[in-house]
Amino acid sequence: MPASPTSPSSSFLLGGELPVRRLGYGTAQLTGPGYWGPRGERRDALAVLRSAVEQGVTLIDTADNYGPGVAEELVAEALHPYRDDLVIATKGGVVRTGDDAWHIAGRPEQLRAMCEASLRRLRTDRIDLYQLHRLDPRVPMAEQLGALDALRQEGKIRCIGLDTLTADQLEQALSLTGIASVQNRFNLLDRGSDAVLKVCESHDLAFLPWFPLANGALTGEAAAALDTVARSHGATRGQIALAWLLHRSPVLCPTPGTGSPVHLAENLGAREVRLTTEDMSRLEALAPA
């Protein structure tokens, strides 16, 4: 007898107050190689953003250093004024000086300046979810989170998120202030942040996995397993990889990015895939990289 299908929840309550659909849209692929400068025609990027929202996306994930500034400006041009049900998430804490040059910048005055600049580019008075792109090892965590907490108390951000940290660091952050979300790398082939995911589950924090499609590395053994499952659902490898995340934990909220309308529709089709327990067992058995 075939295993019974599991039906993951389609939504998550971000920060306990902002409902979002669990498959969002990330904007990094709207920028050029190395997330530097624009990619392709501006009108095409605007069309993809609008199409994502038209197809039911309610969480847009961007960052000030995608471009830098390019992605946030595209979001505002395409989607402002924002629908009441649309949650805009952005990130600060990293300064770019080239397509392969990233500089962590977590001093309170730097974080404030970056948040203010994002507010202007996004054409809003308050950012729904402001994420610290990287913890600055040269600045005490309490000072970095204190700066974000001050911005929250001033009404300039609604919820605070963190990006790329350990489970211990997340527990420490939670002892300092309220956290709504975490972004770590997590996908079918990279489950190194499983301990972080468990903390998120215990505190009901959203986990927004980056590289949810393993950055195109779904080949070899993984591809064979994905193809087997995909054929049974009339789906693609990418849809199965995203569906696995949606079934893996109720707090996982992937935000895959693309500049292609066709790929966007394919990604969002993962919402309709219902994996069986047998499917999940087959995929879970894959050896992570």
Side-chain angles (χ1 to χ4, degrees):
M1 179 180 294
S4 300
T6 57
S7 299
S9 171
S10 64
S11 63
F12 183 83
L13 203 58
L14 185 67
E17 56 179 316
L18 295 172
V20 294
R21 294 196 73 177
R22 288 181 56 218
L23 199 54
Y25 176 76
T27 64
Q29 297 303 316
L30 299 180
T31 59
Y35 309 133
W36 190 258
R39 180 195 300 264
E41 295 291 336
R42 191 174 187 87
R43 66 175 179 270
D44 294 335
L46 297 174
V48 167
L49 278 162
R50 290 171 182 143
S51 179
V53 173
E54 289 165 2
Q55 293 181 68
V57 166
T58 60
L59 174 61
I60 302 292
D61 182 40
T62 190
D64 64 354
N65 62 71
Y66 294 166
V70 171
E72 288 184 330
E73 291 168 358
L74 287 169
V75 168
E77 186 175 346
L79 303 176
H80 188 273
Y82 304 116
R83 288 173 24 169
D84 290 343
D85 65 345
L86 189 61
V87 172
I88 305 296
T90 193
K91 294 179 279 291
V94 172
V95 173
R96 303 287 305 285
T97 56
D99 63 358
D100 201 24
W102 306 69
H103 311 280
I104 298 176
R107 297 198 308 273
E109 64 272 19
Q110 292 173 310
L111 295 176
R112 175 171 288 274
M114 283 185 269
C115 181
E116 297 280 5
S118 289
L119 285 163
R120 291 191 294 271
R121 282 190 293 267
L122 291 168
R123 307 179 198 173
T124 186
D125 296 325
R126 182 171 65 173
I127 294 167
D128 297 317
L129 175 63
Y130 193 76
Q131 303 160 97
L132 183 59
H133 210 155
R134 292 292 186 275
L135 286 166
D136 191 331
R138 301 162 300 181
V139 181
M141 183 189 291
E143 292 184 16
Q144 296 174 74
L145 296 184
L148 299 186
D149 207 32
L151 289 163
R152 179 167 54 187
Q153 291 178 28
E154 293 167 22
K156 294 180 178 179
I157 63 179
R158 189 165 180 174
C159 298
I160 295 172
L162 299 172
D163 191 317
T164 309
L165 73 169
T166 66
D168 287 344
Q169 288 173 324
L170 178 53
E171 293 282 14
Q172 181 185 352
L174 287 165
S175 73
L176 294 170
T177 191
I179 303 296
S181 70
V182 168
Q183 275 201 327
N184 273 30
R185 186 166 61 189
F186 193 85
N187 55 59
L188 190 60
L189 300 183
D190 186 346
R191 305 173 212 170
S193 289
D194 196 57
V196 175
L197 176 58
K198 286 181 171 58
V199 177
C200 288
E201 289 171 338
S202 65
H203 292 276
D204 204 25
L205 312 181
F207 187 123
L208 284 60
W210 51 270
F211 284 175
L213 292 170
N215 201 28
L218 297 170
T219 58
E221 180 191 4
L226 284 164
D227 286 343
T228 298
V229 176
R231 281 194 296 271
S232 69
H233 291 277
T236 66
R237 290 179 187 173
Q239 287 173 332
I240 297 303
L242 290 172
W244 175 82
L245 286 166
L246 295 175
H247 287 70
R248 180 67 156 70
S249 170
V251 306
L252 281 167
C253 302
T255 57
T258 178
S260 162
V262 173
H263 193 201
L264 171 66
E266 177 187 329
N267 286 344
L268 295 179
R271 296 179 302 201
E272 310 308 317
V273 175
R274 295 293 179 262
L275 298 178
T276 67
T277 53
E278 183 180 354
D279 294 332
M280 288 299 290
S281 295
R282 184 186 297 272
L283 296 171
E284 289 285 336
L286 288 172

